[in-house]
Amino acid sequence: MSGKNKQTDNASQEMLRRLPGVDAVLAWAAEDPGLAGVPRSVLKACVRRVLAGMRKQILESGAPPAENDLGRESILGAVRAEADAAMAENLVHVINATGIVVHTNLGRSLLSEKAMAHVRAAASGYSNLEFDLATGRRGSRYEIVEDIICEISGAEAAMVVNNNAGAVLLCLDTVAKNREVIVSRGELVEIGGSFRIPDVMSRSGAVLREVGATNRTHPRDYQAAINENTGLLLKVHTSNYGIVGFTRSVSLKEMVDLGADAGLPVMEDLGSGTFVDFSRYGLIKEPTVQESVAAGADLVTFSGDKLLGGPQAGVIVGSKAIMDRIKKNPLTRALRIDKLTLAALESTLRAYRDAPAAMEEIPTLYMLTCPMEHIEKKAADLEKALGEIGDAKLKCRVMDSVSRAGGGSLPLQELPTKCVAITVDGMNASRIDQALRGQRPAVIGRIENDELLFDLRTVQDGEIAGIVDVVLSALSALSFK
Ligand SMILES: *Cc1c(COP(=O)(O)O)cnc(C)c1O
């Protein structure tokens, strides 16, 4: 060993000797007000990690961590940082400035005030979840929303499960297990990488029978495929893409006629599912649940948290005879909807009795049809507030752009919007984006032409000050790096 290495080695040994033990640091921590709320087990683990990190660094580099003199204050500082990270919640508030309204990765739909109040009441008190208050006997959780769903949709019967993927699985398992399900090749959709009609079908024990071509399917294609083993005709709403050009698809009404001739049930997976005719608000038409019921589908399934604007749930509406069989399927127990979801869903559904009010009350509907003046006002407020930070390196401007419905809904719909675009001298947009994601609340925008855009359509009124705070602290964090 060279003389230099030996010296380093001695210095390391000396430093390791100076490193305090776990109990000594815990004793310091007990007097640190910044660590007062940290449970002892967590604190102990944090102290161990900090000391192990220091030991490792000393052995590897022969020096203590930068700016660390192994003294009480610096070790406690490292423990506080470790404890902050350990105590922070993993599910945190994110400001959605992406302009994607039903953003699956950011939690899809925001609940209305009424829905949140209902969730709170259901969470903090007992309820008649499965108790019939009239008879004093056991009740069914499914009845809580069945009447209101039937009232709005016109269906004979309804039930709700955990999500729409579960609703599709449950329906297929009930009516088509070990039988063939006929689906058009143009409708074999994949949603968000994890839900594919063919995969769900094989899980349910149904056998997929594809008909037609990707762009064109005719009634005669279904007719030719029907045999004694057919269990169901299935229509899947191509919610997240459009097939344009030389196309022909079989309408639900035509499928209902085919089903009637062959004595087969017809199901439609609407995906998003909406009770609102969006074409009345200047948007592209999305088929409504009422229309599918009126067309005579035996079963219709849709999501609770896409265009409906409620909590994650899967809604099934249909004929009473089939729904009675579905309700008896033991799978329902595994796909059971929870009481908090049920509370949020009931309030959301009740809002639809007064459609104009629903457009204001339900955040998803409001954001999709929000008047431009409101978006403009938010953009102007944000631009002004960012300007008031007074950082010469930060440039911002208001610009026109396009928001999206997201969540595999209204895929071809472009929603004109206003964004605030920011740039910071000497820093590319992805670096700023990353810094904003690291803040709490995190702010998620979108990058276009090396500018970071905040799309105000999906930013709530109360979140503008939050964006400014986050930009401010991200800028100061970046200027120290
Ligand atoms: C989104 C979607 C689903 C899955 O719904 P979840 O509520 O996310 O489970 C199923 N089918 C279609 C057509 C969809 O668009």
Side-chain angles (χ1 to χ4, degrees):
M1 198 185 278
S2 76
K4 185 162 188 297
N5 271 349
K6 192 169 248 161
Q7 255 177 11
T8 320
D9 211 46
N10 286 340
S12 301
Q13 290 307 323
E14 169 56 23
M15 253 180 294
L16 285 179
R17 262 193 300 279
R18 275 173 52 209
L19 204 61
V22 172
D23 288 334
V25 179
L26 280 173
W28 295 342
E31 291 162 14
D32 186 331
L35 290 166
V38 183
R40 194 170 164 81
S41 59
V42 177
L43 195 55
K44 212 166 176 173
C46 292
V47 169
R48 286 214 172 97
R49 275 200 296 276
V50 166
L51 292 177
M54 289 176 167
R55 207 168 291 124
K56 185 157 173 274
Q57 193 160 346
I58 291 168
L59 286 173
E60 280 171 6
S61 69
E67 295 175 48
N68 196 312
D69 61 3
L70 302 187
R72 172 177 172 140
E73 266 326 297
S74 46
I75 290 179
L76 277 180
V79 171
R80 276 194 299 269
E82 194 73 25
D84 282 349
M87 296 299 284
E89 283 170 337
N90 288 332
L91 186 65
V92 297
H93 176 210
V94 165
I95 296 180
N96 176 7
T98 63
I100 299 168
V101 178
V102 184
H103 196 309
T104 294
N105 302 142
L106 303 184
R108 281 198 183 158
S109 277
L110 308 186
L111 296 179
S112 68
E113 292 293 336
K114 281 181 190 158
M116 282 188 292
H118 200 174
V119 170
R120 198 177 158 72
S124 57
Y126 291 104
S127 61
N128 61 336
L129 180 67
E130 292 189 346
F131 187 79
D132 185 332
L133 291 170
T135 62
R137 297 212 191 92
R138 192 196 157 108
S140 158
R141 71 178 64 212
Y142 300 115
E143 282 167 16
I144 289 171
V145 287
E146 181 163 15
D147 287 351
I148 184 80
I149 297 171
C150 291
E151 180 189 316
I152 306 166
S153 66
E156 276 176 25
M159 90 171 268
V160 284
V161 292
N162 182 56
N163 60 4
N164 187 34
V168 173
L169 178 70
L170 179 61
C171 291
L172 292 177
D173 183 86
T174 308
V175 301
K177 202 180 183 77
N178 302 324
R179 307 196 61 186
E180 287 182 12
V181 175
I182 306 181
V183 191
S184 161
R185 288 202 170 84
E187 299 174 358
L188 295 173
V189 307
E190 170 182 306
I191 288 110
S194 54
F195 178 92
R196 282 179 167 186
I197 283 292
D199 298 345
V200 174
M201 208 161 287
S202 64
R203 278 283 151 183
S204 72
V207 180
L208 176 65
R209 183 73 191 266
E210 300 171 36
V211 295
T214 306
N215 59 333
R216 287 173 73 84
T217 303
H218 304 268
R220 60 173 185 272
D221 296 324
Y222 289 86
Q223 251 155 357
I226 293 173
N227 64 59
E228 69 287 347
N229 211 12
T230 307
L232 179 73
L233 306 184
L234 173 65
K235 185 166 188 63
V236 183
H237 181 47
T238 56
S239 37
N240 54 4
Y241 62 100
I243 296 180
V244 294
F246 184 54
T247 65
R248 165 76 159 96
S249 63
V250 178
S251 71
L252 183 61
K253 184 76 192 64
E254 288 173 304
M255 285 180 65
V256 168
D257 292 342
L258 286 167
D261 287 345
L264 288 170
V266 175
M267 165 171 158
E268 180 168 38
D269 172 15
L270 269 181
S272 257
T274 174
F275 294 128
V276 174
D277 179 354
F278 281 98
S279 65
R280 290 173 56 186
Y281 298 87
L283 304 184
I284 294 171
K285 174 140 182 100
E286 177 82 9
T288 67
V289 177
Q290 298 91 310
E291 286 160 359
S292 296
V293 170
D298 299 279
L299 285 172
V300 182
T301 69
F302 52 98
S303 280
D305 56 353
K306 291 185 180 172
L307 291 178
L308 205 72
Q312 179 192 302
V315 184
I316 311 169
V317 301
S319 71
K320 183 161 184 327
I322 294 189
M323 207 62 80
D324 283 346
R325 286 169 59 201
I326 290 178
K327 286 175 183 168
K328 290 197 195 98
N329 187 329
L331 256 187
T332 54
R333 184 62 179 77
L335 299 168
R336 184 160 98 165
I337 190 166
D338 125 276
K339 67 177 178 181
L340 304 185
T341 309
L342 210 42
L345 186 62
E346 184 183 12
S347 294
T348 306
L349 290 165
R350 283 180 180 276
Y352 280 94
R353 282 175 156 170
D354 180 353
M359 301 310 287
E360 297 279 328
E361 250 175 69
I362 298 176
T364 299
L365 298 184
Y366 181 75
M367 283 186 268
L368 285 169
T369 58
C370 178
M372 188 50 114
E373 306 88 82
H374 188 185
I375 303 178
E376 254 162 15
K377 163 97 173 61
K378 285 189 284 185
D381 288 351
L382 179 60
E383 187 198 25
K384 180 159 176 278
L386 288 173
E388 283 164 3
I389 290 179
D391 187 318
K393 292 201 297 294
L394 173 67
K395 307 271 180 342
C396 50
R397 68 188 176 101
V398 174
M399 60 176 274
D400 291 324
S401 189
V402 174
S403 328
R404 295 275 168 192
S409 319
L410 297 163
L412 305 178
Q413 180 72 56
E414 299 197 329
L415 301 162
T417 191
K418 295 282 177 192
C419 292
V420 171
I422 68 165
T423 52
V424 178
D425 290 350
M427 217 169 275
N428 59 27
S430 60
R431 178 117 181 269
I432 311 166
D433 176 52
Q434 186 190 1
L436 296 184
R437 277 188 277 116
Q439 300 290 320
R440 297 292 176 268
V443 174
I444 320 287
R446 62 170 192 266
I447 296 174
E448 265 175 35
N449 302 323
D450 208 31
E451 281 183 309
L452 184 62
L453 271 48
F454 300 130
D455 186 332
L456 276 300
R457 178 183 296 276
T458 49
V459 173
Q460 309 304 298
D461 288 339
E463 290 177 335
I464 294 189
I467 296 183
V468 179
D469 288 347
V470 162
V471 169
L472 193 58
S473 50
L475 282 178
S476 55
L478 283 169
S479 63
F480 285 118
K481 278 176 193 153

